[in-house]
């Protein structure tokens, strides 16, 4: 998204929630918003998808906008976005990433986000926030109401994993952790990890854990 700083839309009073599993990035984002958008206040912050879902769907401190990092540990940003948008259209979601926008653009649109911006450009980030707060969505993205209606009406045959199952398959797929390491990270027993993996294999139609990981990493919309 090309930025012309002379055409930035004005910002009125608004509240923004931020989800980013990198604590330093989260702190930097808060400083940026405080300095560049002085009329904006921070509603709440979260460092995990699970925490973000809990805060977003609780009905308290509803933000004017949710800034959501796509690359989270455990439950990924695309899943967080889709889960929120399926349940609610109360606020827009602006996805953000430090990777190429091409990596997440189609996924962010499918998940019901109102835009995608790069974390590597402060100007583009500020402009994206301003545009979504003003217009409801960035060009090429659905509004929150349209995205909510689409996702609710979709007849998705893909097997839906629980939050815990997503955390386990992502830790196995993205970080290559063993059952014992996953258990330590999630503060559960190895037996519980294995039980969850059995359920994951059944839902994904996989005969082995390795095959389940391969299916999970293939193009999908779970």
């Amino acid at each position: 998204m090309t930025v012309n700083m002379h055409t930035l839309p004005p910002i009125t009073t608004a509240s923004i929630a931020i989800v980013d599993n990198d604590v330093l990035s989260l702190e930097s984002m808060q400083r940026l918003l405080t300095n560049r958008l002085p009329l904006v206040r921070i509603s709440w912050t979260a460092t995990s998808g699970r925490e973000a879902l809990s805060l977003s769907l609780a009905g308290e401190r509803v933000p004017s906008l949710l800034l959501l990092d796509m690359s989270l540990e455990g439950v990924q940003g695309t899943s967080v976005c889709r889960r929120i948008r399926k349940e609610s259209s109360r606020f827009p979601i602006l996805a953000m990433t430090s990777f190429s926008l091409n990596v997440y653009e189609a996924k962010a649109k499918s998940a019901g986000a109102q835009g995608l911006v790069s974390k590597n450009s402060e100007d583009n980030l500020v402009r994206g926030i301003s545009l979504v707060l003003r217009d409801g969505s960035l060009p090429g993205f659905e509004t929150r109401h349209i995205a909510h209606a689409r996702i609710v009406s979709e007849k998705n045959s893909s097997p839906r994993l629980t939050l815990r199952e997503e955390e386990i398959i992502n830790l196995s797929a993205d970080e290559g952790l063993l059952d014992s390491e996953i258990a330590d990270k999630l503060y559960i027993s190895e037996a519980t990890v294995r039980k969850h993996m059995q359920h994951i294999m059944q839902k994904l139609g996989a005969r082995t854990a390795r095959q389940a990981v391969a299916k999970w990493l293939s193009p999908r919309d779970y």
Side-chain angles (χ1 to χ4, degrees):
M1 180 172 59
T2 303
V3 174
N4 182 345
M5 295 304 293
H6 298 292
T7 62
L8 279 175
I11 282 288
T12 57
T13 302
S15 62
I16 293 181
I18 313 172
V19 182
D20 195 319
N21 65 343
D22 186 327
V23 175
L24 292 180
S25 177
L26 188 59
E27 293 174 350
S28 176
M29 194 80 60
Q30 293 182 76
R31 286 195 297 271
L32 169 66
L33 296 184
T34 299
N35 293 333
R36 299 286 296 274
L37 300 172
L39 294 181
V40 166
R41 64 178 178 83
I42 306 301
S43 178
W44 50 263
T45 63
T47 56
S48 72
R50 182 179 286 272
E51 183 183 12
L53 284 168
S54 177
L55 290 168
S56 296
L57 302 177
E60 303 174 1
R61 293 188 295 167
V62 178
S64 305
L65 173 68
L66 173 63
L67 276 177
L68 176 62
D69 189 12
M70 289 287 93
S71 182
L72 299 175
E73 183 181 87
V75 183
Q76 292 294 302
T78 49
S79 178
V80 172
C81 183
R82 172 172 282 273
R83 286 174 183 270
I84 292 173
R85 189 52 71 231
K86 184 175 182 179
E87 297 296 327
S88 173
S89 62
R90 297 178 69 184
F91 51 84
I93 300 172
L94 180 59
M96 56 182 181
T97 181
S98 57
F99 299 101
S100 168
L101 297 184
N102 294 331
V103 174
Y104 284 109
E105 184 173 7
K107 294 179 180 179
K109 288 180 179 179
S110 177
Q114 279 54 73
L116 175 68
V117 291
S118 173
K119 294 167 60 177
N120 301 322
S121 170
E122 291 187 357
D123 287 348
N124 280 341
L125 187 59
V126 170
R127 179 169 176 79
I129 292 170
S130 302
L131 288 173
V132 173
L133 285 174
R134 186 192 70 177
D135 297 336
S137 62
L138 297 185
F141 285 81
E142 299 169 320
T143 66
R144 55 195 167 106
H145 297 295
I146 292 175
H148 172 64
R150 170 179 59 80
I151 290 175
V152 167
S153 66
E154 284 178 350
K155 299 272 192 295
N156 192 343
S157 60
S158 299
R160 175 68 64 184
L161 302 186
T162 66
L163 283 177
R164 181 62 84 197
E165 289 167 353
E166 280 197 35
E167 288 173 332
I168 288 172
I169 191 67
N170 281 325
L171 288 172
S172 179
D174 298 337
E175 300 187 31
L177 299 186
L178 302 174
D179 288 353
S180 59
E181 295 171 320
I182 294 174
D184 289 342
K185 199 173 189 69
L186 299 180
Y187 302 103
I188 57 179
S189 68
E190 284 188 60
T192 299
V193 172
R194 289 193 293 270
K195 188 65 174 179
H196 281 303
M197 185 57 77
Q198 289 175 1
H199 292 159
I200 293 169
M201 289 161 55
Q202 291 171 358
K203 291 181 178 181
L204 299 183
R207 294 189 300 273
T208 66
R210 179 176 294 183
Q211 188 179 51
V213 167
K215 283 177 173 285
W216 183 250
L217 290 176
S218 65
R220 67 192 190 274
D221 186 18
Y222 294 141

